[in-house]
Amino acid sequence: MIQENSFSWERMSLLARYYMPAIKKQLLIYLIIITVYFTAGVLSQMPYWFSGLFMMLWGICQFGFAYMFYLAPIAFSRYDDNALNTLIPARGDEKALFVTGYSLVIVPLFIVAVTSVYAVIARFIPGYDIDLLSNGFDNNAIEREAWDTFFPGWSLWIYKITGYFWMTAVVLYVVTISRSNKVIKAILATIVIPLLSGIIAGIIGFVYVIYNKTTFEFFRRINDSDLADSSLPSELLNEISSWLIGYQGVMVVIGIVCLVLTWRKICHRQV
């Protein structure tokens, strides 16, 4: 066990060298995905018969964009034997800082940096719609307009960051506590957890809306000609948006709990 009480960047560098093969492989895969995403976006706007195929490929990459953030912790899942990690000459808090820092900071910054470079390149391509290129945080005009309609006064950018945070924190916890099949369990977590949380939130939200006075009044006057001119539609939107923001807040708390448990698990995993 490491006896030194002071933080050591030298031991952090040993951790980096230990995980570097897996990190390089993951970042290379991410670079390829972003490159395909950008290239497909460019080719999809060309007036040729194959542009539709590239639009489909662009859509697939766009759908999987968030999963690059969520699955950042799988860089630490290539070694199924957790006992091997205890042999690294570093303190538990140094290991925890490295793992969480890579998953929650380094990978998002890498994705944003690469897509930002491609965004600069895209500006020099005649006719290219810059809204087709996203770094996961930027929002196109349609997204911003829809968000401002349903969630006035709230930041879509912050909402996305919190969404990436809690899901990545949960995946990191799953990877940390698993002893085998870590990659499979991490992928399943990105599918099952949002599905279950969405179903539970939907049921609670449905019950909340049904017994809400604003909702009751809205549906009672649904056929009234003056409904659109009243304040009820905006009040109903405010009720729904507050509920969704509250749901995201609860998930952020769950993410923080998972992060704390992950930190403690890594710190106590010593020989």
Side-chain angles (χ1 to χ4, degrees), residues 39 41 56-58 66 98 140 180 194 198 210 233 240-241 243 251 258 261 267:
T39 305
M56 185 183 302
L57 179 59
W58 173 86
F98 181 83
N140 58 43
S180 61
I210 286 179
I240 296 174
S241 63
W243 163 249
M251 299 313 295
C258 287
L261 293 176
C267 288

Side-chain angles (χ1 to χ4, degrees), residues 16-73:
R17 286 199 293 269
Y18 174 74
Y19 288 114
M20 192 54 66
I23 290 175
K24 284 182 177 179
K25 183 181 296 184
Q26 183 180 44
L27 296 183
L28 177 60
I29 292 173
Y30 281 15
L31 178 60
I32 292 173
I33 292 174
I34 297 172
T35 302
V36 171
Y37 170 70
F38 170 75
T39 305
V42 172
L43 295 177
S44 67
Q45 297 188 56
M46 292 187 173
Y48 300 114
W49 65 268
F50 55 75
S51 61
L53 297 175
F54 284 103
M55 177 58 76
M56 185 183 302
L57 179 59
W58 173 86
I60 294 173
C61 293
Q62 174 79 356
F63 173 78
F65 217 87
Y67 287 87
M68 289 196 294
F69 293 90
Y70 301 160
L71 295 176

Side-chain angles (χ1 to χ4, degrees), residues 48-177:
Y48 300 114
W49 65 268
F50 55 75
S51 61
L53 297 175
F54 284 103
M55 177 58 76
M56 185 183 302
L57 179 59
W58 173 86
I60 294 173
C61 293
Q62 174 79 356
F63 173 78
F65 217 87
Y67 287 87
M68 289 196 294
F69 293 90
Y70 301 160
L71 295 176
I74 65 174
F76 308 104
S77 62
R78 63 175 293 186
Y79 308 104
D80 284 340
D81 184 7
N82 287 329
L84 184 61
N85 294 324
T86 63
L87 302 178
I88 305 175
R91 289 175 17 182
D93 58 346
E94 292 167 346
K95 297 176 186 178
L97 178 62
F98 181 83
V99 171
T100 57
Y102 173 82
S103 300
L104 297 172
V105 180
I106 300 301
V107 168
L109 287 179
F110 174 82
I111 295 173
V112 171
V114 173
T115 50
S116 297
V117 170
Y118 279 128
V120 173
I121 296 174
R123 296 183 185 277
F124 294 96
I125 300 177
Y128 183 78
D129 183 4
I130 194 65
D131 277 344
L132 280 178
L133 185 63
S134 168
N135 61 19
F137 295 109
D138 287 341
N139 313 300
N140 58 43
I142 297 176
E143 242 185 336
R144 288 192 296 269
E145 183 177 353
W147 179 266
D148 290 339
T149 300
F150 288 96
F151 303 95
W154 294 93
S155 171
L156 177 56
W157 189 76
I158 295 177
Y159 189 85
K160 283 189 173 183
I161 289 179
T162 55
Y164 293 146
F165 162 76
W166 74 258
M167 191 66 245
T168 304
V170 171
V171 172
L172 180 58
Y173 177 68
V174 170
V175 169
T176 302
I177 64 173

